[in-house]
Amino acid sequence: MTEKAPDGAYDAWLNAIEDGEGHYLECENDHGWLPPRRVCPVCSSRDLSEKSLPDSGEIASHTTITVPTPQFEDDAPYVTAIADFGPVSVTGLVRGVDPEDVGIGDVVGVEVGERETTGDRAVVLRPR
Amino acid sequence: MSDPRVAGAGVTSFGKHPERTGRDLFAEAGLEALDASGVDPDDVDALYYGNFMGELAEHQGHQGPLMAEAIGLDVPATRLEAACASAGAAIREAVKNLRNGEQDVAVVGGAERMTNIGTAAATDALAIAADDLYEIRAGMTFPGAYALMARSYFEQYGGEHEDLAHIAVKNHEHALVNEHAQIRKEITVEEAVDAPTIASPLGLYDSCPITDGAAAAVLTTAEYAEEHGLDAPVAVTGTGQGGDNLALQDRPHLAQTPAADKAADEAYADAGVGPDDVDFAEVHDCFTIAEVLAIESLGLYDRGEGIHAATNGETDRHGELPVNLSGGLKAKGHPVGATGVAQLATIAWVLDGSHPRADAVPDGTVGVAHNAGGTVASTTVHVLEVRE
Ligand SMILES: [Zn+2]
């Protein structure tokens, strides 16, 4: 295995979530994005400032994946969802709830967990 | 400059050919297209070639010149990559260069070798059309992403899994007579609904198979076709392309595909036609829900109405507006980089009456091809019309 460099602002973002300082970037027109970003893709503003990620969001859509990629072989079946946190949305693994009980509108928070298969860090959405 | 003509097309059998190299697949399709076109290979000015996962599946990048060589051409050759819309992007590039007088004859095509690496590695390779940091690392697969879109569609507009099953049943039935199709087997709505789930709510029959195959077409200017007495009545009269945020999480809607809206608007305006003029369409149904999103973006159905089209029999070969007479990606198969040109070939063959399902639209003059990349972050739309 070759040694792998961190992925810049993305790994810094995961570190921040682990430290309880989850954040996102917001442009002057209130469009929200997860880092890394240098420009808002909607309005082209380069004036992005760091805002605290809201404590909880709502699941917008979810799926239980039974045919995974090799990197998630031991995780399957698992739930992946997109959750809306106001101006920004976050995709993550849903943990702490039975897959059959996950629903649109469920309230979740963001944390960092590990993939069972590889031990790599992963964004986790957990019911609040 | 008048609209480019389709002088000839060739498509390999789509299916599992794990032992066949990409270059061999493309050579078969490309040589068939050249032979069918009646064009002297010395007259070909360029090759535009679509391929998505060559590095992962065959450890082969730089496939443009490799594929030119494979069909005996010494021409500038460029690979275009727009995930599953790679071949659509290749067509677009050729159309623009033929129209602007840069070239007289171009070969467009694409190929993908996928089954040699097995299902897990192919699932992984397809997934890289999504956002690595924010989607793949959250366990997203290609079916998983479309599952998120399907669930969101049901939530927003209604419809149910059984409606999607009707799309699968229709496309399987269409493919029964298509000798290029990977799956030529009739299925029932019950079988499709009851099939094992791959990413809820989508099951095995909501998903296109993993496919090896290639497609190619020879496009010429109308002037070249006339000068050389080619039998090439079908013209590419409109081309369009649209884009979107790569990650689903960054889009305002999970149940709409604005990249396809933009591509369709541009292609219709370019051709001077509208959705009402369309006689039939080949759309990118990598998953059953994708066909719904496609026919809505093409303006053939209002938002929230596309889900009922197959259930009501409107898009089958007996209906008002046949969709995916080839069997679509669902049954014909989806060798990713070849799909856009295979759609073009199908439409040209339906319009000139040589396709086995051409009797579905005996007087058809306008066909539309919709080729989408990833979760529709790239889309090309092409309008084809009979000109003579
Ligand atoms: Zn903005």
Side-chain angles (χ1 to χ4, degrees):
Chain A
M1 273 292 271
T2 49
E3 227 170 277
K4 194 169 170 290
D7 285 312
Y10 173 78
D11 274 317
W13 181 72
L14 291 182
N15 294 343
I17 293 173
E18 285 177 326
D19 295 342
E21 291 166 4
H23 58 266
Y24 66 98
L25 301 173
E26 191 173 78
C27 76
E28 55 205 316
N29 297 310
D30 303 334
H31 302 125
W33 310 95
L34 299 181
R37 291 274 178 189
R38 288 172 186 266
V39 60
C40 172
V42 168
C43 67
S44 303
S45 167
R46 297 186 188 187
D47 185 9
L48 305 180
S49 54
E50 209 173 286
K51 295 279 164 75
S52 291
L53 197 63
D55 186 52
S56 63
E58 282 188 11
I59 287 183
S61 193
H62 60 94
T63 177
T64 302
I65 291 175
T66 36
V67 181
T69 61
Q71 295 86 349
F72 283 87
E73 202 180 339
D74 299 337
D75 295 71
Y78 59 89
V79 180
T80 289
I82 297 175
D84 291 336
F85 287 78
V88 72
S89 295
V90 179
T91 309
L93 299 166
V94 180
R95 297 233 170 111
V97 54
D98 194 279
E100 263 133 57
D101 295 333
V102 177
I104 290 175
D106 286 1
V107 176
V108 292
V110 178
E111 56 189 66
V112 176
E114 279 185 359
R115 277 184 227 167
E116 282 172 39
T117 311
T118 63
D120 287 320
R121 291 196 293 179
V123 174
V124 164
L125 301 169
R126 192 179 290 275
R128 277 280 149 93
Chain B
M1 187 65 61
S2 44
D3 292 316
R5 300 303 174 93
V6 182
V11 177
T12 67
S13 144
F14 281 5
K16 289 186 181 173
H17 308 294
E19 74 294 346
R20 289 187 63 183
T21 57
R23 68 187 83 186
D24 177 55
L25 290 164
F26 186 71
E28 180 189 332
L31 294 173
E32 190 185 325
L34 282 167
D35 290 348
S37 72
V39 166
D40 181 343
D42 286 343
D43 283 357
V44 176
D45 297 307
L47 169 67
Y48 299 104
Y49 169 83
N51 174 263
F52 174 57
M53 59 170 71
E55 287 83 355
L56 297 174
E58 293 199 281
H59 199 249
Q60 184 65 64
H62 205 185
Q63 292 196 14
L66 177 70
M67 297 306 173
E69 198 180 318
I71 57 171
L73 300 180
D74 177 16
V75 296
T78 308
R79 165 179 163 189
L80 291 98
E81 191 270 300
C84 323
S86 296
I91 295 167
R92 198 169 145 73
E93 200 61 26
V95 166
K96 289 196 280 188
N97 285 313
L98 292 167
R99 278 182 175 172
N100 70 21
E102 183 101 0
Q103 291 152 5
D104 297 318
V105 181
V107 175
V108 295
E112 210 71 62
R113 186 183 187 191
M114 301 172 71
T115 69
N116 58 313
I117 55 176
T119 301
T123 301
D124 190 30
L126 287 166
I128 68 166
D131 184 315
D132 174 54
L133 296 182
Y134 284 106
E135 297 187 304
I136 299 173
R137 294 182 193 201
M140 191 90 95
T141 60
F142 200 41
Y146 274 91
L148 292 170
M149 297 165 88
R151 199 184 297 282
S152 180
Y153 186 98
F154 293 159
E155 175 80 5
Q156 196 166 348
Y157 300 118
E160 55 187 1
H161 190 216
E162 192 173 319
D163 292 305
L164 298 180
H166 280 274
I167 294 170
V169 168
K170 164 181 78 76
N171 291 346
H172 275 247
E173 200 275 339
H174 286 173
L176 289 177
V177 296
N178 181 357
E179 61 179 17
H180 299 122
Q182 181 167 8
I183 306 173
R184 294 170 68 182
K185 171 178 161 262
E186 224 162 341
I187 58 167
T188 65
V189 171
E190 292 69 33
E191 281 170 330
V193 169
D194 295 340
T197 301
I198 49 173
S200 66
L202 302 182
L204 197 59
Y205 282 134
D206 291 301
S207 173
C208 66
I210 292 169
T211 312
D212 305 305
V218 179
L219 305 184
T220 74
T221 60
E223 292 72 15
Y224 179 96
E226 195 178 340
E227 269 168 40
H228 292 79
L230 302 181
D231 178 25
V234 177
V236 184
T237 60
T239 178
Q241 183 168 354
D244 203 349
N245 302 98
L246 191 63
L248 283 176
Q249 68 185 20
D250 291 330
R251 301 185 196 169
H253 300 282
L254 294 178
Q256 293 183 16
T257 51
D261 297 15
K262 291 177 230 168
D265 288 348
E266 185 184 357
Y268 287 141
D270 191 25
V273 302
D276 290 346
D277 299 310
V278 174
D279 296 308
F280 66 104
E282 285 287 308
V283 307
H284 199 97
D285 61 326
C286 48
F287 299 91
T288 46
I289 185 65
E291 179 165 314
V292 175
L293 300 172
I295 60 179
E296 292 183 5
S297 281
L298 289 169
L300 304 172
Y301 280 85
D302 290 337
R303 303 274 179 222
E305 299 296 324
I307 187 77
H308 306 297
T311 310
N312 294 340
E314 294 155 14
T315 47
D316 69 33
R317 63 193 173 93
H318 305 294
E320 283 269 289
L321 182 78
V323 173
N324 285 329
L325 285 167
S326 65
L329 286 51
K330 174 71 199 79
K332 180 186 55 182
H334 180 29
V336 177
T339 286
V341 170
Q343 292 176 324
L344 175 118
T346 298
I347 292 178
W349 291 333
V350 170
L351 287 174
D352 74 16
S354 63
H355 191 276
R357 289 293 188 211
D359 57 353
V361 278
D363 305 315
T365 56
V366 181
V368 168
H370 160 282
N371 186 199
T375 48
V376 203
S378 297
T379 310
T380 65
V381 170
H382 287 96
V383 179
L384 278 76
E385 294 182 71
V386 178
R387 275 297 186 235
E388 287 169 347

